[in-house]
Amino acid sequence: MLTLAAVQAELLTKTTGSQAIAADRAEVLNSGLAANLEMPHPVFIDRGEGPYVYDADENRYIDTSVGFGLHMLGHVHPVVTRAIQARVPKGWMFGIHSTSQLQLANLVQAGSPCAERVVFCNTGSEATMYAFRAARGYSGKDKIALFDGFYHGAHDYGMWMADPTSPRMEPSAVPMGHGIPGVLKELTLLLPYRDSRAFELIRQNKDELALVFVEGVQSSNPQSEAGEFLRELESVCRSAGVLFGVDEVITGFRLAYGGAQERFSLQPDLATYGKVIGGGLPVGAITGRAEVMAVFTGLAAERGVFSGGTFSGNPLTMEAGAAVLNHLRDHPEIYVELERRTQRLADVINAHCEDLQLPVHMKHVGSMFHLFFQRETIASSRDIHARGLAAQKAFYLHCLNAGVLVPGTQRAFLSAVHDDQVVDELINVFTASLDAVSAEGLFDATR
Ligand SMILES: Cc1ncc(COP(=O)(O)O)c(C=O)c1O
């Protein structure tokens, strides 16, 4: 069994190409690396193939990030490759409307339970920004209610988090980093996640609230028990006369073909999409009830809001996305298999941790999973503690060295091509890595 020091040494010797890129990159690129695996230095991916990625040194890893959750069919799936190749000779970017948009719009409309209309943009962040604008335009109110532990993208209206020192039942918002105008805090109402106190706060603030917006499943805390809370939330919003929006950027076409809305029987006024619906190319979409979505029909429309963008609805993305959604629609067994495999992965890992009394458990919903380095159950992200950090970092290094890549965000996924054999490999690497971390006494701080 390797020690952590031995793992670090091995990783250093087999990733010299990535180290050179990391050094050169610092002279040119200032973008953050937090989303990559940072220790002992990031690995730079050169290519992907099915469930695997290969780094700059040709090391192969089982990829549990799959493009931060977007590759439902794994890397370089032939249906997507064919769609992209068929579009390229005809031109891939016109700015003005192209013949490729309607097919994807029809697929999203048919697959999204609340979607009477669809508007395309380029990222999930853009989609949530437009959803907020649409809700404000439609309602004439300005405040947006968001939940402790949320992530809705990088725009200023979403860059808020709960002050960890504020009361759990009435969290106050602090900006995520500098550069977020303090005045925007007034436009954000932060609510406790999965707690009925949220319903009281919505009722109290209904006259100011344009929208209550919630992830289909919080990616920081993926668990199937969220459904009951979401259904009640929807009915509280209905009776309070506040728009209800579901962020399906991760969950859309992943938790089920109809996303969290199908899985949990939800019927929101607005839903946002990204990731899966672009087939691996940049995409975002806002969908919803026709009456609310009518604000997008132009500035001349009653309560019309601006939307637009050079790359919005570009034909290459539209073709790649349509290829994936067509394939998923025609192969419903993919969701059944993904559910079964992820359940098996979680069952085996959780039984292993239980047997050895390790302070670790795996949460999952559909094909999203997350390892928590603590024994205590997690209702909201407030329950996640940092005591397991050293063990967690060591664990992910062991995994990387053994050929399994989990992104720095620790949000992990299976794709349709992570078959039973790949899941067996994942189980072997995860259990061996947990055992190695335990053997070195790194769980002692969390016991
Ligand atoms: C729920 C949710 N909303 C919005 C976003 C932002 O999407 P993008 O990274 O495409 O801007 C993400 C990204 O992970 C997300 O998970």
Side-chain angles (χ1 to χ4, degrees):
M1 202 177 282
L2 288 177
T3 62
L4 178 56
V7 162
Q8 280 167 323
E10 273 195 19
L11 274 171
L12 280 174
T13 54
K14 65 189 190 195
T15 58
T16 50
S18 280
Q19 284 162 60
I21 295 172
D24 290 347
R25 175 187 204 283
E27 299 296 319
V28 188
L29 264 166
N30 276 147
S31 58
L33 286 168
N36 202 322
L37 201 121
E38 284 190 87
M39 294 201 23
H41 56 80
V43 289
F44 292 90
I45 303 305
D46 185 47
R47 64 193 174 88
E49 192 181 291
Y52 304 109
V53 286
Y54 296 77
D55 72 11
D57 297 278
E58 271 296 303
N59 297 301
R60 189 187 85 169
Y61 305 96
I62 296 176
D63 182 18
T64 67
S65 167
V66 287
F68 296 132
L70 64 78
H71 288 301
M72 276 293 283
L73 305 178
H75 294 281
V76 202
H77 192 283
V79 302
V80 189
T81 307
R82 274 198 299 273
I84 291 174
Q85 284 172 344
R87 170 38 72 184
V88 168
K90 300 198 278 180
W92 53 87
M93 177 58 208
F94 309 117
I96 49 181
H97 294 304
S98 75
T99 53
S100 297
Q101 289 164 355
L102 191 55
Q103 186 187 189
L104 185 60
N106 280 331
L107 284 161
V108 172
Q109 187 195 45
S112 168
C114 77
E116 290 175 332
R117 301 284 185 274
V118 179
V119 167
F120 287 118
C121 52
N122 304 293
T123 63
S125 300
E126 231 185 297
T128 63
M129 180 191 74
Y130 280 131
F132 292 6
R133 185 179 297 168
R136 287 178 170 134
Y138 176 81
S139 69
K141 299 183 273 183
D142 282 342
K143 241 184 199 172
I144 310 286
L146 306 170
F147 287 87
D148 192 351
F150 76 86
Y151 183 68
H152 296 302
H155 54 81
D156 289 358
Y157 297 110
M159 283 284 100
W160 297 90
M161 55 186 259
D163 178 346
T165 62
S166 65
R168 183 186 174 116
M169 288 306 145
E170 225 154 298
S172 67
V174 287
M176 274 194 227
H178 294 279
I180 312 300
V183 290
L184 296 186
K185 181 176 169 170
E186 300 306 312
L187 304 181
T188 307
L189 175 69
L190 215 49
L191 301 172
Y193 188 57
R194 288 183 60 200
D195 194 288
S196 57
R197 174 74 184 132
F199 307 147
E200 288 167 31
L201 289 168
I202 291 167
R203 291 187 194 105
Q204 280 167 20
N205 289 275
K206 65 183 169 49
D207 295 335
E208 292 173 19
L209 280 178
L211 176 71
V212 172
F213 198 56
V214 67
E215 281 159 273
V217 161
Q218 282 198 334
S219 63
S220 59
N221 179 19
Q223 41 188 292
S224 47
E225 299 89 338
E228 198 184 322
F229 173 73
L230 294 175
R231 281 188 296 277
E232 198 168 346
L233 181 63
E234 177 179 317
S235 100
V236 167
C237 291
R238 276 283 169 274
S239 54
V242 176
L243 291 177
F244 174 57
V246 176
D247 187 349
E248 295 254 37
V249 168
I250 282 194
T251 52
F253 297 90
R254 174 167 280 284
L255 287 194
Y257 193 73
Q261 292 166 74
E262 177 185 322
R263 193 175 180 111
F264 301 132
S265 306
L266 304 172
Q267 192 70 42
D269 301 293
L270 288 167
T272 48
Y273 287 83
K275 301 202 190 257
V276 175
I277 69 161
L281 296 176
V283 77
I286 311 98
T287 69
R289 281 201 287 123
E291 190 192 335
V292 183
M293 293 293 289
V295 298
F296 286 113
T297 49
L299 291 185
E302 198 186 344
R303 300 190 172 281
V305 302
F306 178 83
S307 73
T310 305
F311 299 100
S312 298
N314 75 79
L316 203 58
T317 296
M318 297 292 107
E319 298 286 354
V324 169
L325 297 199
N326 273 323
H327 189 84
L328 290 171
R329 184 201 53 205
D330 296 344
H331 294 277
E333 73 281 3
I334 286 177
Y335 291 98
V336 180
E337 279 298 298
L338 276 172
E339 196 80 30
R340 183 183 65 75
R341 289 180 195 141
T342 319
Q343 183 73 51
R344 181 166 76 89
L345 174 67
D347 285 349
V348 176
I349 298 303
N350 285 333
H352 185 78
C353 293
E354 194 66 29
D355 285 350
L356 301 182
Q357 289 290 293
L358 303 179
V360 177
H361 67 278
M362 184 178 278
K363 281 278 180 195
H364 80 103
V365 53
S367 52
M368 300 166 64
F369 63 94
H370 196 130
L371 273 163
F372 291 100
F373 283 71
Q374 63 188 65
R375 204 172 267 130
E376 298 88 340
T377 49
I378 291 160
S380 99
S381 53
R382 281 289 177 112
D383 302 318
I384 301 171
H385 63 64
R387 289 200 306 279
L389 218 55
Q392 180 177 306
K393 283 189 171 173
F395 169 79
Y396 287 122
L397 278 186
H398 275 279
C399 290
L400 191 67
N401 193 44
V404 170
L405 191 146
V406 182
T409 57
Q410 287 134 38
R411 285 131 168 89
F413 306 87
L414 296 186
S415 80
V417 294
H418 287 66
D419 60 15
D420 278 316
Q421 195 193 325
V422 174
V423 171
D424 284 341
E425 249 184 277
L426 276 179
I427 287 172
N428 290 339
V429 170
F430 283 168
T431 51
S433 301
L434 286 166
D435 294 351
V437 171
S438 178
E440 269 198 278
L442 294 172
F443 284 123
D444 291 353
T446 40
R447 279 184 201 278

PDB file of all heavy atoms in Angstrom, residues 36-37 62 64-65 395-396 399-400 404-412 430:
ATOM      1  N   ASN A  36      -9.685  22.381 -11.693  1.00  0.00           N
ATOM      2  CA  ASN A  36      -8.892  21.214 -12.033  1.00  0.00           C
ATOM      3  C   ASN A  36      -8.422  20.574 -10.729  1.00  0.00           C
ATOM      4  O   ASN A  36      -8.661  21.080  -9.649  1.00  0.00           O
ATOM      5  CB  ASN A  36      -7.685  21.660 -12.874  1.00  0.00           C
ATOM      6  CG  ASN A  36      -7.127  20.539 -13.699  1.00  0.00           C
ATOM      7  OD1 ASN A  36      -7.070  19.408 -13.256  1.00  0.00           O
ATOM      8  ND2 ASN A  36      -6.704  20.858 -14.898  1.00  0.00           N
ATOM      9  N   LEU A  37      -7.728  19.456 -10.837  1.00  0.00           N
ATOM     10  CA  LEU A  37      -7.207  18.865  -9.622  1.00  0.00           C
ATOM     11  C   LEU A  37      -5.855  19.499  -9.349  1.00  0.00           C
ATOM     12  O   LEU A  37      -4.953  19.418 -10.148  1.00  0.00           O
ATOM     13  CB  LEU A  37      -7.076  17.353  -9.797  1.00  0.00           C
ATOM     14  CG  LEU A  37      -7.047  16.682  -8.445  1.00  0.00           C
ATOM     15  CD1 LEU A  37      -8.178  15.700  -8.317  1.00  0.00           C
ATOM     16  CD2 LEU A  37      -5.731  16.039  -8.198  1.00  0.00           C
ATOM     17  N   ILE A  62      -9.812   7.370 -15.741  1.00  0.00           N
ATOM     18  CA  ILE A  62     -11.274   7.325 -15.836  1.00  0.00           C
ATOM     19  C   ILE A  62     -11.736   8.726 -15.476  1.00  0.00           C
ATOM     20  O   ILE A  62     -11.361   9.257 -14.429  1.00  0.00           O
ATOM     21  CB  ILE A  62     -11.881   6.311 -14.851  1.00  0.00           C
ATOM     22  CG1 ILE A  62     -11.447   4.894 -15.199  1.00  0.00           C
ATOM     23  CG2 ILE A  62     -13.418   6.415 -14.868  1.00  0.00           C
ATOM     24  CD1 ILE A  62     -11.942   3.844 -14.199  1.00  0.00           C
ATOM     25  N   THR A  64     -14.317  11.235 -14.193  1.00  0.00           N
ATOM     26  CA  THR A  64     -15.607  11.347 -13.494  1.00  0.00           C
ATOM     27  C   THR A  64     -16.141  12.779 -13.542  1.00  0.00           C
ATOM     28  O   THR A  64     -17.138  13.086 -12.895  1.00  0.00           O
ATOM     29  CB  THR A  64     -15.516  10.902 -12.013  1.00  0.00           C
ATOM     30  OG1 THR A  64     -14.694  11.836 -11.302  1.00  0.00           O
ATOM     31  CG2 THR A  64     -14.963   9.503 -11.876  1.00  0.00           C
ATOM     32  N   SER A  65     -15.455  13.640 -14.303  1.00  0.00           N
ATOM     33  CA  SER A  65     -15.945  15.009 -14.455  1.00  0.00           C
ATOM     34  C   SER A  65     -16.833  15.118 -15.699  1.00  0.00           C
ATOM     35  O   SER A  65     -17.828  15.837 -15.705  1.00  0.00           O
ATOM     36  CB  SER A  65     -14.765  15.980 -14.592  1.00  0.00           C
ATOM     37  OG  SER A  65     -15.228  17.233 -15.018  1.00  0.00           O
ATOM     38  N   PHE A 395      -6.908  11.355  -0.444  1.00  0.00           N
ATOM     39  CA  PHE A 395      -7.718  10.366  -1.172  1.00  0.00           C
ATOM     40  C   PHE A 395      -7.703  10.664  -2.676  1.00  0.00           C
ATOM     41  O   PHE A 395      -7.465   9.785  -3.502  1.00  0.00           O
ATOM     42  CB  PHE A 395      -9.151  10.387  -0.634  1.00  0.00           C
ATOM     43  CG  PHE A 395     -10.122   9.612  -1.475  1.00  0.00           C
ATOM     44  CD1 PHE A 395     -10.190   8.229  -1.387  1.00  0.00           C
ATOM     45  CD2 PHE A 395     -10.972  10.267  -2.359  1.00  0.00           C
ATOM     46  CE1 PHE A 395     -11.082   7.506  -2.180  1.00  0.00           C
ATOM     47  CE2 PHE A 395     -11.864   9.552  -3.156  1.00  0.00           C
ATOM     48  CZ  PHE A 395     -11.922   8.165  -3.053  1.00  0.00           C
ATOM     49  N   TYR A 396      -7.937  11.944  -3.041  1.00  0.00           N
ATOM     50  CA  TYR A 396      -8.015  12.259  -4.462  1.00  0.00           C
ATOM     51  C   TYR A 396      -6.659  12.109  -5.156  1.00  0.00           C
ATOM     52  O   TYR A 396      -6.603  11.775  -6.340  1.00  0.00           O
ATOM     53  CB  TYR A 396      -8.622  13.654  -4.669  1.00  0.00           C
ATOM     54  CG  TYR A 396     -10.117  13.639  -4.391  1.00  0.00           C
ATOM     55  CD1 TYR A 396     -10.690  14.455  -3.434  1.00  0.00           C
ATOM     56  CD2 TYR A 396     -10.944  12.753  -5.078  1.00  0.00           C
ATOM     57  CE1 TYR A 396     -12.060  14.415  -3.172  1.00  0.00           C
ATOM     58  CE2 TYR A 396     -12.309  12.693  -4.809  1.00  0.00           C
ATOM     59  CZ  TYR A 396     -12.857  13.528  -3.861  1.00  0.00           C
ATOM     60  OH  TYR A 396     -14.207  13.456  -3.601  1.00  0.00           O
ATOM     61  N   CYS A 399      -6.312   8.469  -5.841  1.00  0.00           N
ATOM     62  CA  CYS A 399      -7.160   8.124  -6.990  1.00  0.00           C
ATOM     63  C   CYS A 399      -6.483   8.544  -8.294  1.00  0.00           C
ATOM     64  O   CYS A 399      -6.427   7.767  -9.261  1.00  0.00           O
ATOM     65  CB  CYS A 399      -8.520   8.821  -6.894  1.00  0.00           C
ATOM     66  SG  CYS A 399      -9.566   8.176  -5.592  1.00  0.00           S
ATOM     67  N   LEU A 400      -5.954   9.755  -8.319  1.00  0.00           N
ATOM     68  CA  LEU A 400      -5.320  10.257  -9.544  1.00  0.00           C
ATOM     69  C   LEU A 400      -4.147   9.359  -9.935  1.00  0.00           C
ATOM     70  O   LEU A 400      -4.010   8.969 -11.098  1.00  0.00           O
ATOM     71  CB  LEU A 400      -4.832  11.699  -9.319  1.00  0.00           C
ATOM     72  CG  LEU A 400      -4.387  12.450 -10.560  1.00  0.00           C
ATOM     73  CD1 LEU A 400      -5.563  12.727 -11.487  1.00  0.00           C
ATOM     74  CD2 LEU A 400      -3.703  13.774 -10.192  1.00  0.00           C
ATOM     75  N   VAL A 404      -7.793   7.537 -11.730  1.00  0.00           N
ATOM     76  CA  VAL A 404      -9.174   8.040 -11.665  1.00  0.00           C
ATOM     77  C   VAL A 404      -9.133   9.538 -11.392  1.00  0.00           C
ATOM     78  O   VAL A 404      -8.563   9.970 -10.397  1.00  0.00           O
ATOM     79  CB  VAL A 404      -9.984   7.341 -10.542  1.00  0.00           C
ATOM     80  CG1 VAL A 404     -11.333   8.035 -10.335  1.00  0.00           C
ATOM     81  CG2 VAL A 404     -10.207   5.876 -10.893  1.00  0.00           C
ATOM     82  N   LEU A 405      -9.723  10.310 -12.287  1.00  0.00           N
ATOM     83  CA  LEU A 405      -9.712  11.757 -12.128  1.00  0.00           C
ATOM     84  C   LEU A 405     -11.057  12.245 -11.603  1.00  0.00           C
ATOM     85  O   LEU A 405     -12.099  12.003 -12.202  1.00  0.00           O
ATOM     86  CB  LEU A 405      -9.406  12.419 -13.474  1.00  0.00           C
ATOM     87  CG  LEU A 405      -9.096  13.914 -13.408  1.00  0.00           C
ATOM     88  CD1 LEU A 405      -8.062  14.272 -14.477  1.00  0.00           C
ATOM     89  CD2 LEU A 405     -10.325  14.760 -13.584  1.00  0.00           C
ATOM     90  N   VAL A 406     -10.990  12.884 -10.435  1.00  0.00           N
ATOM     91  CA  VAL A 406     -12.177  13.556  -9.882  1.00  0.00           C
ATOM     92  C   VAL A 406     -11.833  15.044  -9.899  1.00  0.00           C
ATOM     93  O   VAL A 406     -10.759  15.431  -9.446  1.00  0.00           O
ATOM     94  CB  VAL A 406     -12.475  13.087  -8.436  1.00  0.00           C
ATOM     95  CG1 VAL A 406     -13.731  13.762  -7.895  1.00  0.00           C
ATOM     96  CG2 VAL A 406     -12.617  11.565  -8.394  1.00  0.00           C
ATOM     97  N   PRO A 407     -12.714  15.898 -10.450  1.00  0.00           N
ATOM     98  CA  PRO A 407     -12.340  17.315 -10.555  1.00  0.00           C
ATOM     99  C   PRO A 407     -12.229  17.965  -9.185  1.00  0.00           C
ATOM    100  O   PRO A 407     -12.766  17.449  -8.200  1.00  0.00           O
ATOM    101  CB  PRO A 407     -13.493  17.929 -11.350  1.00  0.00           C
ATOM    102  CG  PRO A 407     -14.647  17.033 -11.082  1.00  0.00           C
ATOM    103  CD  PRO A 407     -14.077  15.649 -10.918  1.00  0.00           C
ATOM    104  N   GLY A 408     -11.554  19.118  -9.153  1.00  0.00           N
ATOM    105  CA  GLY A 408     -11.385  19.839  -7.897  1.00  0.00           C
ATOM    106  C   GLY A 408     -12.699  20.218  -7.242  1.00  0.00           C
ATOM    107  O   GLY A 408     -12.761  20.410  -6.030  1.00  0.00           O
ATOM    108  N   THR A 409     -13.768  20.329  -8.034  1.00  0.00           N
ATOM    109  CA  THR A 409     -15.080  20.649  -7.472  1.00  0.00           C
ATOM    110  C   THR A 409     -15.696  19.448  -6.735  1.00  0.00           C
ATOM    111  O   THR A 409     -16.691  19.596  -6.043  1.00  0.00           O
ATOM    112  CB  THR A 409     -16.074  21.029  -8.591  1.00  0.00           C
ATOM    113  OG1 THR A 409     -16.131  19.930  -9.496  1.00  0.00           O
ATOM    114  CG2 THR A 409     -15.636  22.279  -9.333  1.00  0.00           C
ATOM    115  N   GLN A 410     -15.114  18.273  -6.964  1.00  0.00           N
ATOM    116  CA  GLN A 410     -15.589  16.989  -6.388  1.00  0.00           C
ATOM    117  C   GLN A 410     -16.988  16.597  -6.829  1.00  0.00           C
ATOM    118  O   GLN A 410     -17.580  15.658  -6.305  1.00  0.00           O
ATOM    119  CB  GLN A 410     -15.526  17.015  -4.864  1.00  0.00           C
ATOM    120  CG  GLN A 410     -14.111  16.923  -4.354  1.00  0.00           C
ATOM    121  CD  GLN A 410     -13.848  17.925  -3.278  1.00  0.00           C
ATOM    122  OE1 GLN A 410     -14.707  18.177  -2.456  1.00  0.00           O
ATOM    123  NE2 GLN A 410     -12.674  18.513  -3.292  1.00  0.00           N
ATOM    124  N   ARG A 411     -17.545  17.339  -7.776  1.00  0.00           N
ATOM    125  CA  ARG A 411     -18.840  16.933  -8.330  1.00  0.00           C
ATOM    126  C   ARG A 411     -18.548  15.900  -9.407  1.00  0.00           C
ATOM    127  O   ARG A 411     -17.885  16.201 -10.393  1.00  0.00           O
ATOM    128  CB  ARG A 411     -19.576  18.117  -8.938  1.00  0.00           C
ATOM    129  CG  ARG A 411     -20.176  19.048  -7.887  1.00  0.00           C
ATOM    130  CD  ARG A 411     -19.797  20.466  -8.199  1.00  0.00           C
ATOM    131  NE  ARG A 411     -20.530  21.436  -7.433  1.00  0.00           N
ATOM    132  CZ  ARG A 411     -20.146  21.903  -6.234  1.00  0.00           C
ATOM    133  NH1 ARG A 411     -19.053  21.449  -5.655  1.00  0.00           N
ATOM    134  NH2 ARG A 411     -20.851  22.820  -5.619  1.00  0.00           N
ATOM    135  N   ALA A 412     -19.038  14.671  -9.202  1.00  0.00           N
ATOM    136  CA  ALA A 412     -18.648  13.582 -10.091  1.00  0.00           C
ATOM    137  C   ALA A 412     -19.882  12.969 -10.762  1.00  0.00           C
ATOM    138  O   ALA A 412     -20.997  13.058 -10.240  1.00  0.00           O
ATOM    139  CB  ALA A 412     -17.887  12.530  -9.300  1.00  0.00           C
ATOM    140  N   PHE A 430     -11.369   3.500  -5.625  1.00  0.00           N
ATOM    141  CA  PHE A 430     -11.898   4.246  -4.471  1.00  0.00           C
ATOM    142  C   PHE A 430     -11.639   3.480  -3.154  1.00  0.00           C
ATOM    143  O   PHE A 430     -11.195   4.056  -2.169  1.00  0.00           O
ATOM    144  CB  PHE A 430     -13.407   4.501  -4.623  1.00  0.00           C
ATOM    145  CG  PHE A 430     -13.763   5.614  -5.587  1.00  0.00           C
ATOM    146  CD1 PHE A 430     -15.065   5.786  -6.015  1.00  0.00           C
ATOM    147  CD2 PHE A 430     -12.807   6.503  -6.052  1.00  0.00           C
ATOM    148  CE1 PHE A 430     -15.415   6.814  -6.900  1.00  0.00           C
ATOM    149  CE2 PHE A 430     -13.136   7.530  -6.928  1.00  0.00           C
ATOM    150  CZ  PHE A 430     -14.445   7.680  -7.353  1.00  0.00           C
TER     151      PHE A 430
END
